[in-house]
Amino acid sequence: MKQKFYQEIESVCPECFGKIKAILKEEDDHKVYIYKTCSKHGEFKDLISSDASYYKWTHYATEDGEFSFDKIGDANPPDRIADERGCPWNCGLCNLHKSTCSLALIDVTNRCNLTCNFCYANVEKSGVLVEPSLEEIRRVMKHFRSKPIPAVAIMFTGGEPTVRKDFPQICKMAKEEGFKEAIVATNGYGFQKPNGEGYKFAKACWDNGLDTLYFQFDGIHDETYMKTRGAKLWKYKQRVLENCRAAGFDSIVFVCTLAKSVTDMEAGNIIQYAIDNIDIVRGIIFQPVSLCGRISYEDLRELRITNADVLHEIEKQTNGALKVDRDWYPLTTIVEFGRLIAWYAGMEPIEFTCHPDCGFATYMVLDPQTKSLRSFLEYIDPLPMIEFANKFWKKVKERKESNFFTKLIGESAGATLDKGLNWFDRQSVKARFLLGVLPYIKKPGKLMELFSKVIMNGNWASISSFSYGSLLIGSMHFQDPFNFNLERAKRCIVHFGVPMPDGSVLETPFCVYNNFTRQETEKKIARKYTAKGKEEWVENVAGPEASTIIRNGGVDKDGKPVE
């Protein structure tokens, strides 16, 4: 990979959002930049990756085409046909989209108890209220589950979703509609309430089907939260974990927005705190800040942090426990492996067929002998194992279910016999696959026994057994107008669903919606946020805590900071 990286792409002008040509180019400082020129607004340059060697490796593909991190998924039928404007302006979804939705998002409210300065969805900033009814939320759920390739997971976003008193009911609806995983993106408001209220809320959500908290977690110091959220929130964050633990809620993912010289120094602290709470914390997602809105080039250069910066910072702050050149792989790496596991278990697969630039992940696992967390990549030889899985999947996906006995003796008795025959066939295929991956296991033992059970059983119980005491760590860099790559948008697997006034559902990729179409869409569905509306919300929706919520600043009704 000595040749310098160069790629021509389509992007947008950060000023007028017009579609323009761009190039990704490696420079002599061993970094990759995006260059683009708008006929009206001039030239633009931004950093894509601070580590050209790692960036080139994540775009690696064998010459014979047998292996690549760049993977195309199966797309659902489009909801509309692209017009002359093309991507991203007629999204909804159009026929240009190349991947199916794996994670559906619904903004259940844009009310929030905080006013984070980089948030894109806040009632106080927009002046309009976006809060769909239960019927509208169910309509969006049905939209995603009725597709030929249905979304497996759903995330409730905002605003702060847990300011809704009916939030546990929304969780229940998700399971009624068939979602395997229900997640809430939250700053912890409903779960942190003192005097037993947070425990009751966590228990109600857990009992009604909520699986995971995607928990805003910027660090372990109040000084950090004052910079990012405008309030001292450390005790607030600790109460969330205490109440969830007491309620038996054992799946929390820390989510940290990383900005250079603001939160990046907390990365090691967050990992250690997750390890200290490994009984209920399942993962950490670092999100390099997206720079939406007008910003000078000097400020852009000062604030920009890339996935590569995050990975190097983690290596430094963990004293090499997680290494850039060993432990981090694009999310697309496990596509075929995941399809195999789902096929074995007869489950719907979660497809990570996004663009390789979208995110990177690694796994830390509890070593049964030393009782310490180690990188999972110490136990396996990953690339050969993945290449084997890719080739194996190509053969498996062509296999047909047997209907031999049905044809021979009829539907009533034959179907049962065919079911048994197909079960036996899957078991034999699984056994051959397990034998095939054994040469790539470097450290046998109890951990590899659990890994083998995931392969052989392929069910949620086996996956949970392997995940318990393990820590998934990822870095996901969402796009902004400066670094926007239209190919990434076309491959997005995280889609918003918006209930429209005409009874339809607008489905839009995450980065497209937040950068280009959110404001216009919300004008069509929002109602004006008036003083009377605030009063009605206090009386009918939010309950006695409303005075601290609607002020949006982490202060109580007397203006004192809320811990």
Side-chain angles (χ1 to χ4, degrees):
M1 299 186 190
K2 293 182 179 180
Q3 186 175 355
K4 287 188 175 182
F5 188 86
Y6 179 91
Q7 187 179 54
E8 296 179 357
I9 65 168
E10 286 187 309
S11 185
V12 297
C13 170
E15 293 288 336
C16 65
F17 295 162
K19 186 159 62 174
I20 56 177
K21 299 290 184 181
I23 60 170
L24 303 180
K25 183 180 178 182
E26 178 185 350
E27 297 290 7
D28 291 338
D29 59 0
H30 305 295
K31 297 178 181 180
V32 178
Y33 296 89
I34 183 172
Y35 295 90
K36 51 189 176 180
T37 302
C38 174
S39 59
K40 296 179 180 178
H41 300 103
E43 298 178 352
F44 298 91
K45 174 186 176 182
D46 192 14
L47 180 65
I48 295 296
S49 177
S50 60
D51 186 339
S53 296
Y54 184 75
Y55 189 80
K56 286 188 287 188
W57 179 77
T58 62
H59 287 258
Y60 165 76
T62 57
E63 292 184 1
D64 60 8
E66 285 294 324
F67 179 83
S68 172
F69 289 120
D70 194 359
K71 300 177 182 180
I72 302 295
D74 296 322
N76 275 313
D79 294 333
R80 63 174 67 179
I81 302 300
D83 60 26
E84 66 277 0
R85 294 174 300 169
C87 185
W89 288 108
N90 58 350
C91 203
L93 287 172
C94 81
N95 55 307
L96 299 178
H97 206 77
K98 299 178 180 179
S99 292
T100 189
C101 174
S102 293
L103 177 62
L105 304 182
I106 304 178
D107 278 345
V108 296
T109 183
N110 66 340
R111 303 181 195 272
C112 188
N113 57 316
L114 301 175
T115 48
C116 309
N117 56 12
F118 44 77
C119 183
Y120 48 76
N122 186 292
V123 65
E124 295 292 337
K125 291 182 180 180
S126 65
V128 295
L129 176 63
V130 177
E131 194 163 277
S133 66
L134 292 178
E135 184 277 328
E136 289 172 322
I137 292 172
R138 190 181 289 276
R139 189 204 315 164
V140 175
M141 292 179 180
K142 287 183 179 295
H143 167 85
F144 283 109
R145 289 298 297 166
S146 64
K147 294 290 183 84
I149 308 173
V152 178
I154 188 167
M155 180 183 288
F156 305 113
T157 57
E160 171 50 45
T162 65
V163 302
R164 288 187 62 143
K165 288 180 66 176
D166 58 1
F167 182 71
Q169 186 176 349
I170 295 173
C171 299
K172 184 179 180 182
M173 286 165 50
K175 290 307 171 75
E176 290 172 348
E177 295 301 329
F179 287 98
K180 300 296 186 292
E181 183 81 6
I183 309 165
V184 60
T186 177
N187 66 44
Y189 172 74
F191 304 92
Q192 62 79 38
K193 295 178 182 179
N195 304 320
E197 292 302 312
Y199 163 80
K200 292 178 183 177
F201 185 81
K203 190 74 166 59
C205 292
W206 182 254
D207 290 345
N208 280 280
L210 184 66
D211 295 291
T212 299
L213 263 65
Y214 203 66
F215 181 36
Q216 178 196 92
F217 197 89
D218 294 336
I220 63 171
H221 297 100
D222 273 331
E223 293 79 5
T224 299
Y225 288 103
M226 285 299 296
K227 288 187 287 186
T228 60
R229 313 293 169 182
K232 294 180 178 180
L233 297 174
W234 178 229
K235 290 182 180 179
Y236 177 111
K237 299 295 180 179
Q238 289 174 297
R239 286 199 299 271
V240 173
L241 269 65
E242 292 166 3
N243 288 331
C244 285
R245 182 179 283 114
F249 203 127
D250 64 354
S251 183
I252 297 175
V253 175
F254 290 163
V255 183
C256 174
T257 300
L258 284 185
K260 192 183 294 184
S261 302
V262 179
T263 53
D264 55 347
M265 69 285 292
E266 288 270 28
N269 294 332
I270 293 170
I271 293 173
Q272 185 57 55
Y273 194 73
I275 292 172
D276 293 342
N277 292 275
I278 199 67
D279 59 317
I280 57 174
V281 178
R282 294 287 167 264
I284 306 168
I285 299 296
F286 294 102
Q287 295 178 345
V289 65
S290 296
L291 302 171
C292 301
R294 293 184 178 275
I295 186 172
S296 69
Y297 179 69
E298 290 73 21
D299 289 339
L300 174 68
R301 187 170 54 184
E302 182 177 335
L303 291 172
R304 174 65 78 204
I305 184 170
T306 70
N307 275 321
D309 294 314
V310 175
L311 307 192
H312 281 285
E313 195 64 36
I314 289 173
E315 179 172 342
K316 182 174 72 175
Q317 294 187 33
T318 61
N319 295 317
L322 292 172
K323 299 181 182 298
V324 174
D325 59 1
R326 181 193 67 189
D327 295 310
W328 298 92
Y329 283 75
L331 296 177
T332 57
T333 306
I334 61 168
V335 167
E336 288 82 4
F337 198 92
R339 288 170 178 169
L340 278 168
I341 300 300
W343 182 84
Y344 295 149
M347 300 189 305
E348 297 169 350
I350 298 178
E351 295 275 86
F352 291 106
T353 52
C354 50
H355 191 279
D357 288 3
C358 291
F360 304 87
T362 190
Y363 226 88
M364 297 188 77
V365 291
L366 184 65
D367 187 305
Q369 279 73 44
T370 65
K371 303 300 181 183
S372 62
L373 281 178
R374 309 290 295 271
S375 168
F376 183 58
L377 279 301
E378 293 182 24
Y379 293 82
I380 63 172
D381 198 357
L383 276 181
M385 180 181 287
I386 293 298
E387 287 190 55
F388 172 76
N390 293 355
K391 294 176 181 178
F392 203 86
W393 170 248
K394 285 184 178 180
K395 297 178 181 179
V396 167
K397 69 179 181 179
E398 302 299 331
R399 297 177 77 88
K400 305 293 184 183
E401 294 263 300
S402 172
N403 61 354
F404 173 79
F405 288 107
T406 300
K407 288 182 176 179
L408 185 66
I409 59 177
E411 178 75 28
S412 56
T416 301
L417 293 172
D418 280 331
K419 185 177 180 180
L421 189 62
N422 288 320
W423 177 87
F424 182 79
D425 179 59
R426 286 175 187 263
Q427 299 308 305
S428 64
V429 172
K430 282 193 282 187
R432 291 203 303 274
F433 179 65
L434 181 58
L435 288 172
V437 301
L438 286 178
Y440 310 119
I441 294 175
K442 295 188 288 189
K443 293 183 180 181
K446 182 67 176 177
L447 182 64
M448 289 300 101
E449 288 180 25
L450 293 174
F451 182 60
S452 299
K453 286 182 179 179
V454 171
I455 295 174
M456 290 304 293
N457 296 336
N459 54 30
W460 289 113
S462 300
I463 295 170
S464 296
S465 296
F466 180 74
S467 300
Y468 190 82
S470 303
L471 196 64
L472 173 70
I473 306 178
S475 179
M476 298 179 65
H477 196 174
F478 298 116
Q479 299 192 91
D480 54 51
F482 298 96
N483 60 18
F484 208 86
N485 182 344
L486 286 179
E487 185 63 22
R488 281 186 60 181
K490 294 175 184 178
R491 305 267 290 281
C492 181
I493 60 173
V494 180
H495 298 178
F496 276 102
V498 183
M500 301 304 289
D502 63 0
S504 65
V505 172
L506 179 70
E507 181 181 346
T508 310
F510 184 94
C511 292
V512 171
Y513 189 63
N514 286 331
N515 281 291
F516 308 121
T517 60
R518 172 182 285 276
Q519 190 172 10
E520 194 63 33
T521 301
E522 288 187 344
K523 286 180 182 178
K524 299 176 182 178
I525 62 174
R527 58 184 187 271
K528 193 173 181 181
Y529 191 51
T530 62
K532 183 179 179 181
K534 290 184 181 183
E535 292 173 4
E536 289 176 351
W537 186 54
V538 171
E539 182 178 350
N540 299 322
V541 181
E545 301 87 5
S547 60
T548 64
I549 301 170
I550 61 174
R551 292 175 181 272
N552 284 292
V555 297
D556 63 19
K557 61 183 179 181
D558 298 318
K560 297 178 181 178
V562 177
E563 292 186 340

